[in-house]
Amino acid sequence: MERKWWETAIGYQIYPRSFYDSNNDGIGDLQGIIAKLPYIKDLGVDFIWINPIYASPNVDNGYDISDYQAIHPDFGTMEDFKELLTKAHDLGLKIVMDLVVNHTSDQHPWFQEALKGKDNPYRDYYLWADATPDRMPNDWQSFFGGSTWQYDEKSKQAYFHIFAPEQPDLNWKNPKVREEIYQMIRWWLDLGIDGFRLDAISHIQKEPWDFKITDNPWAPFMNVAGIDEYMQDLKGIFDEYPIVTIGEASGVTSKKAVKWTNREGYLDMIFELEHQVREGQPGHERINVLGWKKVVSRWQKDLNANGWNALYVENHDNPRINSILGNESEQSAKAIATAFLFMKGTPFIYQGQEIGMTNFPFTSVEQLDAKDSYSHYQELLKQGVEPSEALQQICHWTRDHSRTPMQWQDSDEAGFSQAQPWLAVNPNYQEINVAEQEERPDSLLNFYKQAIQLRKTPLFVDGNYELHLAGHPQVIAYTRNTAEQSALVLVNLSDQEVVVDLPNRVVQPMAKVMLANVTEPKLQKRMTLAPFAAMIFEY
Ligand code: TEU
Ligand code: CA
């Protein structure tokens, strides 16, 4: 079967506010990305996914869009964007944009019109129902805390939002809304971008307002029946362009993902959100290795023949993986890289992951920016949780850990900007930064570069995935197999030495080391794995 370009590609996610600030106003920007294109190219990745850069009041850092066809002045201009696109393409790098069409900003002209009253032609662009100040149409809860409804005194109705109140959900049942969105999508694709990451796309269809929630509070807007019609429309447009589409599609199970991502599927791949299997007390949770292994292996299996996986361990919505799965050492970051990068699918690396950036030591709620963290903090206080405990709980898992500025150098503000950045730089920038790791042959950055090259070989693109030692709570072991070649990926994801007995069929005496973070490992039946040891054998 002919390979699509994105099946052999590796993505790099840029959170533009925090990547590189070219004009020293404390905010990363498009010229900053342009300046760093050689760095991205040198890393060896093939495409860049950029978080939203559209006009936005920034209640949710760009995920609240007030004009889909304008660049936020913080990031630059449309000319800057076109320059980025051209310069990236010149280097052989593709550009994927974020597409946020579940909701707009409340400052979007459509919503401003809708607010004018029930007769306004834009009223039905959003979802409204009769309400009183103390009686909402139903008791559904939003992802960011509190009711999904916001009361409008003027019309004695409430509008629906699954994220912040400033992010009203669009009414996809309205054909005019769909037409506007489809036109906007074509406009971007005609500009020459290489694809979309579709934000919160599994939420665009909602259950009837009298739907009763039983166990899952998000059930009324997670992959609800009827969504297929809209996805089919979107697919029709996407199919006209040689692009990649990646859906953020929580609630689409690994079984259902086959239909979403096979060759006839709506999208090329989806980000699953199930693998964040956490353990421990609130405020101290970590990733549970066994749980993570089970989820990702199930996705590998269910999409093996039909469908395609998007592989990731970090993004802008989660803490740094080396803090919640590793022990913040380079060794553990190399182990995590080895564990996830060689599975079947298209891997994504989040900015800073390649140098092992860690969580930020937050000590007060004022240091946080993320909207959801703040509202969850208020909610915990309301429930009677002590302020210090509430702080610990939200700081532990806040999305802001991954949003601190990229650490380029050991100079002030980590070389991100000469001004005070919009979010504080992690105080460990003098130890963890790009410049230092570029110079040092055994650095994590150089390990990533080596791993990325290896990842592009046919074995890791095409090979079947098979999990071994399935029940082991600390070690992940899997093989990738084609008719010609096999590789065993073996990683200790704990800070303890572990001894494992491998199944006989993977113990090949002629095996060669392809990649390792320990010196000269040898493949044998009984393996003693040092803390966070990682190795790949080929045979
Ligand atoms: O996140 C959305 C998101 O995580 C939910 O859709 C998810 O399905 C839910 O939490 C279930 O666990 C995206 C962006 O990544 C995020 O940064 C935005 O804040 C959000 O959408 C709103 O646009
Ligand atoms: Ca700037």
Side-chain angles (χ1 to χ4, degrees):
M1 192 165 44
E2 194 203 326
R3 281 278 169 234
K4 308 266 192 181
W5 69 262
W6 42 264
E7 288 175 328
T8 57
I10 296 177
Y12 186 76
Q13 183 191 346
I14 290 186
Y15 197 70
R17 292 186 81 73
S18 301
F19 193 56
Y20 185 58
D21 176 17
S22 73
N23 63 347
N24 296 309
D25 62 356
I27 301 173
D29 44 54
L30 293 176
Q31 285 298 334
I33 301 178
I34 293 172
K36 296 295 183 184
L37 284 175
Y39 168 80
I40 299 166
K41 179 70 188 170
D42 188 49
L43 194 56
V45 298
D46 307 281
F47 69 95
I48 302 168
W49 152 35
I50 310 175
N51 285 104
I53 51 172
Y54 314 97
S56 163
N58 278 335
V59 168
D60 187 19
N61 276 351
Y63 282 98
D64 47 324
I65 297 173
S66 53
D67 183 348
Y68 284 106
Q69 280 156 249
I71 302 292
H72 195 297
D74 282 352
F75 296 124
T77 63
M78 194 57 80
E79 284 315 304
D80 291 321
F81 180 76
K82 289 179 183 163
E83 184 184 335
L84 169 63
L85 196 58
T86 308
K87 292 198 164 149
H89 286 171
D90 287 349
L91 286 171
L93 291 166
K94 294 184 191 285
I95 300 281
V96 170
M97 297 283 276
D98 221 304
L99 181 67
V100 190
V101 290
N102 174 72
H103 47 272
T104 67
S105 160
D106 62 346
Q107 300 306 308
H108 194 290
W110 298 340
F111 192 72
Q112 288 299 308
E113 283 298 310
L115 274 179
K116 289 182 181 163
K118 288 183 188 172
D119 304 329
N120 190 282
Y122 288 92
R123 185 76 170 183
D124 285 342
Y125 273 44
Y126 296 88
L127 300 161
W128 298 87
D130 293 337
T132 64
D134 42 36
R135 198 175 164 79
M136 289 300 143
N138 59 36
D139 60 359
W140 300 357
Q141 296 293 298
S142 78
F143 286 122
F144 287 179
S147 171
T148 47
W149 295 95
Q150 182 75 11
Y151 186 64
D152 170 47
E153 181 57 52
K154 196 167 143 212
S155 63
K156 310 243 174 314
Q157 284 198 316
Y159 67 84
F160 184 79
H161 61 90
I162 62 170
F163 296 101
E166 295 88 348
Q167 295 168 293
D169 280 42
L170 283 163
N171 177 13
W172 272 75
K173 292 193 174 70
N174 182 346
K176 281 199 222 132
V177 168
R178 300 202 298 270
E179 213 30 66
E180 299 245 27
I181 291 172
Y182 299 159
Q183 270 182 35
M184 177 272 288
I185 288 176
R186 285 182 187 283
W187 186 87
W188 278 102
L189 292 174
D190 290 336
L191 205 67
I193 66 163
D194 304 291
F196 286 116
R197 175 265 190 187
L198 292 89
D199 183 67
I201 197 65
S202 52
H203 305 318
I204 58 178
Q205 174 77 325
K206 286 56 162 160
E207 293 283 4
W209 300 139
D210 60 1
F211 176 91
K212 287 277 168 293
I213 293 170
T214 49
D215 50 338
N216 177 3
W218 321 127
F221 35 83
M222 291 266 244
N223 194 21
V224 169
I227 195 173
D228 303 73
E229 182 194 333
Y230 313 142
M231 295 311 298
Q232 202 61 47
D233 282 0
L234 288 168
K235 174 189 162 51
I237 303 170
F238 297 151
D239 278 353
E240 294 172 32
Y241 300 82
I243 56 164
V244 65
T245 55
I246 311 128
E248 187 203 30
S250 65
V252 175
T253 60
S254 54
K255 290 267 181 307
K256 289 182 186 154
V258 176
K259 176 169 145 201
W260 279 63
T261 68
N262 66 18
R263 282 290 170 103
E264 285 74 49
Y266 310 135
L267 301 172
D268 296 325
M269 63 190 96
I270 60 180
F271 287 127
E272 50 81 16
L273 284 86
E274 279 185 84
H275 76 236
Q276 289 270 352
V277 185
R278 304 170 187 182
E279 66 183 344
Q281 292 299 312
H284 304 272
E285 303 112 310
R286 293 189 42 88
I287 298 284
N288 174 295
V289 173
L290 190 55
W292 176 75
K293 257 168 65 166
K294 276 192 179 146
V295 172
V296 291
S297 296
R298 168 160 51 76
W299 279 78
Q300 288 286 306
K301 185 166 147 264
D302 289 347
L303 299 186
N304 181 44
N306 260 312
W308 194 255
N309 270 292
L311 312 168
Y312 74 102
V313 288
E314 279 194 24
N315 63 23
H316 64 292
D317 286 334
N318 285 290
R320 290 290 184 176
I321 195 69
N322 204 23
S323 296
I324 53 167
L325 177 55
N327 64 357
E328 303 197 339
S329 67
E330 273 199 356
Q331 191 68 351
S332 66
K334 288 175 183 174
I336 295 165
T338 310
F340 98 98
L341 210 51
F342 294 92
M343 293 180 184
K344 189 170 181 180
T346 301
F348 289 75
I349 297 165
Y350 178 68
Q351 69 180 46
Q353 181 181 335
E354 74 278 23
I355 54 167
M357 282 178 62
T358 63
N359 279 357
F360 186 95
F362 291 109
T363 51
S364 90
V365 73
E366 279 74 42
Q367 293 169 320
L368 294 169
D369 173 82
K371 176 92 185 160
D372 58 324
S373 296
Y374 197 73
S375 49
H376 285 151
Y377 179 72
Q378 298 300 338
E379 240 171 64
L380 289 173
L381 293 188
K382 252 192 258 160
Q383 290 166 17
V385 177
E386 284 295 315
S388 62
E389 176 57 28
L391 184 70
Q392 170 67 28
Q393 286 191 27
I394 55 143
C395 285
H396 185 65
W397 218 271
T398 175
R399 313 196 280 181
D400 283 341
H401 288 299
S402 56
R403 300 180 178 188
T404 64
M406 178 75 178
Q407 293 164 209
W408 295 103
Q409 291 168 18
D410 66 0
S411 53
D412 283 358
E413 309 303 355
F416 162 74
S417 173
Q418 285 166 33
Q420 188 187 348
W422 71 278
L423 192 64
V425 170
N426 194 308
N428 64 15
Y429 70 93
Q430 279 164 329
E431 294 86 60
I432 300 179
N433 63 71
V434 169
E436 190 276 330
Q437 295 198 24
E438 276 180 333
E439 295 306 311
R440 184 161 48 85
D442 72 343
S443 69
L444 177 62
L445 180 60
N446 281 314
F447 186 86
Y448 258 100
K449 288 182 191 174
Q450 195 190 345
I452 286 167
Q453 288 315 313
L454 182 58
R455 181 59 178 71
K456 293 183 184 179
T457 53
L459 171 62
F460 294 113
V461 176
D462 301 315
N464 282 330
Y465 171 95
E466 191 188 348
L467 184 70
H468 305 282
L469 309 176
H472 201 290
Q474 288 137 338
V475 171
I476 181 157
Y478 58 88
T479 41
R480 298 291 309 275
N481 308 295
T482 61
E484 297 81 38
Q485 203 189 5
S486 293
L488 169 70
V489 178
L490 183 61
V491 183
N492 178 1
L493 285 171
S494 79
D495 60 3
Q496 311 288 315
E497 183 180 281
V498 178
V499 179
V500 290
D501 284 324
L502 294 171
N504 289 333
R505 67 205 155 91
V506 307
V507 187
Q508 302 288 337
M510 303 306 281
K512 288 203 294 275
V513 182
M514 295 178 113
L515 185 77
N517 67 355
V518 289
T519 36
E520 290 179 36
K522 278 189 61 185
L523 180 56
Q524 48 201 27
K525 173 133 186 94
R526 175 157 293 187
M527 300 285 295
T528 302
L529 301 172
F532 294 112
M535 54 206 75
I536 303 180
F537 298 102
E538 165 194 28
Y539 47 87

